[in-house]
Amino acid sequence: KEGVVGQVLSEGGFTGVVHAVGILFETDMNKFASGSGSIPDPGTTYDVITRQTAVGAAAALAQTKTPSGDPLPFAFVSAAEARWTFDQAFKGTPVEWLHRYLIAKRAVESDLLDNHGAKGVLRPIIVRPSLVWTWEKPASFLPVAAFTLGNALSLPFVDKPVQLKTLAGAVVGAILDPHESGVLDYKGMERVAARR
């Protein structure tokens, strides 16, 4: 809801902001793909859930920056697939949802890098995991194994899955390190998380 992020930030005492809000599917199918088992409300879109919430949170954080202060860290959980250049081909196919998903992710990345980051207001930290997994969710092991093998075989467009603790460690580590900014792929996340 508009204004909520600003209210929270007005309390002060924060080191940075992390945006990890998202859905994999705009439909009830999300229940099966989501780590939380969430079911989106009717009419929910990637634009509303991802782009609008992240851009709004970034704008709210930017308003708290003092003129002489360092850029404020804003971490965004994007997707490894945001680097793809061929997802236009998905339009009109059963996986058109993936194209819409990536449009929303890229729009946030652009806002952070080209708007807030370029102005020196925010220090964008964009983590791009593919599959995120944890030992507590064994249902993910089969796709994680397939992606791990595909990455080891150097299949194009297949990134190594990222363990949840690596993702979290990379985000926290990057927020705390004033020299970290920009896009972190799985190798970058592993590098930053290993320092924690």
Side-chain angles (χ1 to χ4, degrees):
K1 294 182 181 182
E2 194 165 329
V4 172
V5 175
Q7 286 177 322
V8 172
L9 293 173
S10 71
E11 296 172 9
F14 59 88
T15 303
V17 169
V18 178
H19 185 281
V21 177
I23 54 173
L24 188 56
F25 295 108
E26 297 165 313
T27 65
D28 289 355
M29 283 293 297
N30 196 67
K31 177 181 181 178
F32 304 106
S34 165
S36 67
S38 66
I39 300 173
D41 291 335
T44 296
T45 65
Y46 298 115
D47 185 72
V48 170
I49 294 294
T50 301
R51 187 191 64 79
Q52 290 181 28
T53 60
V55 168
L61 180 61
Q63 290 177 355
T64 69
K65 184 186 178 299
T66 60
S68 61
D70 290 334
L72 302 168
F74 187 98
F76 173 64
V77 180
S78 186
E81 296 76 16
R83 69 181 167 88
W84 289 358
T85 58
F86 57 85
D87 56 283
Q88 284 275 36
F90 299 156
K91 291 171 98 177
T93 73
V95 292
E96 184 171 353
W97 62 269
L98 184 53
H99 177 63
R100 294 190 310 274
Y101 173 83
L102 295 176
I103 286 172
K105 294 287 191 180
R106 289 184 194 123
V108 175
E109 290 187 9
S110 178
D111 180 64
L112 292 173
L113 296 168
D114 304 332
N115 181 17
H116 299 293
K119 293 177 184 173
V121 176
L122 300 183
R123 179 166 51 91
I125 299 158
I126 298 165
V127 292
R128 283 186 175 169
S130 185
L131 293 179
V132 179
W133 67 280
T134 177
W135 291 109
E136 287 78 29
K137 301 277 185 175
S140 69
F141 293 172
L142 186 58
V144 165
F147 271 62
T148 301
L149 179 62
N151 180 260
L153 294 173
S154 300
L155 294 179
F157 312 112
V158 178
D159 273 30
K160 179 180 168 186
V162 176
Q163 209 171 2
L164 180 60
K165 69 179 183 179
T166 302
L167 173 65
V171 168
V172 171
I175 284 174
L176 296 176
D177 183 343
H179 303 292
E180 286 291 345
S181 67
V183 176
L184 296 174
D185 62 6
Y186 74 90
K187 292 176 186 174
M189 285 182 271
E190 289 174 349
R191 174 184 55 78
V192 174
R195 294 194 313 239
R196 293 217 22 90

